[in-house]
Amino acid sequence: MRISVLKEIKPDELRVALRPDQASTLSRDGHEVYVEEGAGLASGFSDQNYLDCGALVRPKAQVIRAGKLLLKVKAPLEEEYEDYDQDKILFTYLHLDENIPAPTIQRFLTSGVMGIAYEWVGGDQHYPLLEPMSRLTGYLFAQKSIELSALNKGVFLPANERFLPGGNVLVIGAGNIGLSAIKYFADLNVNLTVLTKGGAEQLSKKLRDRFGDGAPDPDRFRSLVMSVNQPEQTVQELAALMPELDILLNCAVRRPDMPKEKLEFLVCKEMIAKMAPGSIVCDATACDQDLLETCISSPLLEETSTQMGVVHYNCDHIPARVPATATKLLTDTTFKYVRSIANKGIVEALQEDAYLKNGVVCFQGHITHPYTAEKKGFKYCDLDSLLDT
């Protein structure tokens, strides 16, 4: 199979979808690997590194034309849609279920490309291609928010020694992103409050399961419970916290049991206004105005905005701040599937791997992922019916 590795054109996206050593493995397997010029530079891989590993380094047009399997990191921008057609397989993060408007998705679908979304490869609440980036995201948002607090509020958040007063942080959510943030803050002895659905006992178990003996002790921070039945009660608790917070970091997304009709925002703009000037608000989820009214994701790594005196940082691809680390973590997980598609062909690979099949979100102009179809208002089309044709 011909495999093409594309250079990212999204602003500040510095990761690459395949390492030179992996290109070497594919070449030994008998495949042709094409790499767009400069694709790996920001992650520490020169064009010569790829050439030395058996890849062919070419301009974009040649790489696109040659490849059957196209490898990227981030969802394609609209100007990239014309690069794809029904004979191509695009393997990347796609996030069609998030902030992309339905008309834009429709333009993407007209290419006919088979889109396999990293974020949906998996099942049974386990998504192995999403997990490493989510975990890294939590650490990086915690790190960045501390930097911003020092810069904008003059507060040194960590309390590494007893004489240091530390700062006050609220983390919302305890999924992969949230657990990383909790660990980062707790290790620095920040004055931490955590809001979760399950409360202290469930949070303690999640921390132990993830970090083992290195798990933070929940007794060292305050734990709040998100009330699904009485969400306004939780809102009132959070509102009372706002004046004392230095950082609010949201790591949770809206679930079906909390529709907008039930609770428009967990944190509204009036609550943000209660925070002291220079305080920091971050939404790590890249979901625009989901739980936090004032948060809109940004494609830029260092962009901030200030609303009511409060500094907002909402980068939608923060792992790109550390492209070498992020590329290794990501490609360590994606390569298994890349090699399977290449060696077996797409149909056999999908038939043998339910996790990979779950990742196919579109094919031949149809949405083949039930959740995405429902959320974006598209008709769902069963993938098997398309493969049979």
Side-chain angles (χ1 to χ4, degrees):
M1 182 177 286
R2 289 183 171 183
I3 301 146
S4 291
V5 182
L6 301 174
K7 182 179 180 180
E8 301 298 322
I9 67 169
K10 179 183 174 74
D12 288 345
E13 181 49 73
L14 306 174
R15 292 169 286 180
V16 66
L18 192 78
R19 304 195 307 262
D21 62 299
Q22 296 168 329
S24 178
T25 299
L26 292 170
S27 295
R28 290 196 304 270
D29 287 344
H31 308 292
E32 292 183 11
V33 180
Y34 292 79
V35 178
E36 185 178 347
E37 294 168 335
L41 287 177
S43 295
F45 306 125
S46 68
D47 289 348
Q48 190 62 49
N49 291 149
Y50 285 102
L51 290 169
D52 292 343
C53 289
L56 301 168
V57 177
R58 299 286 189 269
K60 178 180 179 178
Q62 294 181 30
V63 172
I64 288 286
R65 187 165 56 248
K68 169 69 174 179
L69 174 60
L70 309 181
L71 303 180
K72 276 178 47 63
V73 175
K74 287 302 290 183
L77 304 183
E78 288 190 60
E79 55 260 45
E80 295 176 278
Y81 291 177
E82 64 185 24
D83 295 338
Y84 317 127
D85 59 50
Q86 61 184 0
D87 295 323
K88 307 288 187 185
I89 303 163
L90 177 63
F91 194 27
T92 186
Y93 287 117
L94 283 170
H95 297 299
L96 299 184
D97 58 297
E98 293 187 0
N99 300 323
I100 305 175
T104 304
I105 294 174
Q106 184 60 56
R107 287 195 292 275
F108 173 66
L109 294 178
T110 58
S111 69
V113 69
M114 174 181 282
I116 307 178
Y118 288 166
E119 69 271 16
W120 288 114
V121 172
D124 305 317
Q125 302 302 310
H126 175 56
Y127 297 94
L129 310 190
L130 188 62
E131 184 175 278
M133 292 301 97
S134 295
R135 291 184 174 191
L136 183 59
T137 289
Y139 289 123
L140 290 171
F141 262 99
Q143 179 189 60
K144 181 65 175 178
S145 65
I146 288 176
E147 294 173 6
L148 289 171
S149 181
L151 179 65
N152 293 279
K153 200 175 184 182
V155 174
F156 184 71
L157 265 292
N160 308 86
E161 296 185 59
R162 290 184 179 179
F163 82 94
L164 290 167
N168 301 309
V169 175
L170 169 65
V171 174
I172 299 174
N176 281 315
I177 298 175
L179 289 175
S180 292
I182 293 165
K183 170 72 169 168
Y184 194 97
F185 287 129
D187 284 352
L188 295 174
N189 293 318
V190 167
N191 299 320
L192 184 60
T193 300
V194 179
L195 174 67
T196 64
K197 282 187 176 181
E201 185 174 342
Q202 187 182 92
L203 176 59
S204 179
K205 182 180 185 306
K206 293 179 76 171
L207 289 168
R208 290 195 308 272
D209 290 346
R210 166 93 177 262
F211 301 109
D213 293 340
D217 181 1
D219 291 337
R220 290 170 46 205
F221 47 82
R222 178 167 42 177
S223 180
L224 300 179
V225 180
M226 176 68 207
S227 175
V228 176
N229 295 324
Q230 295 179 301
E232 291 299 334
Q233 178 179 325
T234 302
V235 170
Q236 291 174 11
E237 288 184 275
L238 295 183
L241 284 179
M242 291 295 152
E244 68 185 57
L245 291 180
D246 298 300
I247 294 172
L248 189 166
L249 174 52
N250 178 56
C251 305
V253 296
R254 187 179 297 273
R255 299 301 183 188
D257 60 0
M258 192 64 68
K260 284 277 190 180
E261 296 77 18
K262 189 174 185 179
L263 180 69
E264 186 175 13
F265 297 109
L266 181 62
V267 179
C268 65
K269 61 183 179 181
E270 289 78 14
M271 294 165 65
I272 296 296
K274 294 177 181 290
M275 300 178 75
S279 298
I280 309 301
V281 171
C282 299
D283 193 325
T285 68
C287 294
D288 294 350
Q289 293 184 305
D290 183 31
L291 294 177
L292 275 60
E293 183 177 9
T294 56
C295 288
I296 302 290
S297 59
S298 168
L300 302 178
L301 283 175
E302 304 302 332
E303 183 177 60
T304 62
S305 64
T306 301
Q307 301 180 53
M308 295 162 288
V310 176
V311 178
H312 289 60
Y313 177 76
N314 307 301
C315 177
D316 66 4
H317 60 131
I318 198 171
R321 290 193 85 207
V322 288
T325 297
T327 289
K328 184 182 188 313
L329 292 175
L330 178 61
T331 56
D332 276 350
T333 58
T334 57
F335 186 61
K336 162 187 172 182
Y337 299 100
V338 171
R339 198 176 183 192
S340 176
I341 294 169
N343 287 342
K344 298 174 182 176
I346 186 61
V347 174
E348 183 177 343
L350 294 176
Q351 289 173 341
E352 293 187 1
D353 193 325
Y355 273 18
L356 182 61
K357 187 176 180 181
N358 288 341
V360 181
V361 297
C362 64
F363 185 41
Q364 295 182 357
H366 302 281
I367 293 290
T368 56
H369 187 258
Y371 176 78
T372 300
E374 180 180 2
K375 186 171 181 180
K376 291 297 184 175
F378 285 89
K379 181 180 178 181
Y380 164 70
C381 186
D382 180 67
L383 178 61
D384 286 331
S385 67
L386 300 175
L387 292 174
D388 289 341
T389 61

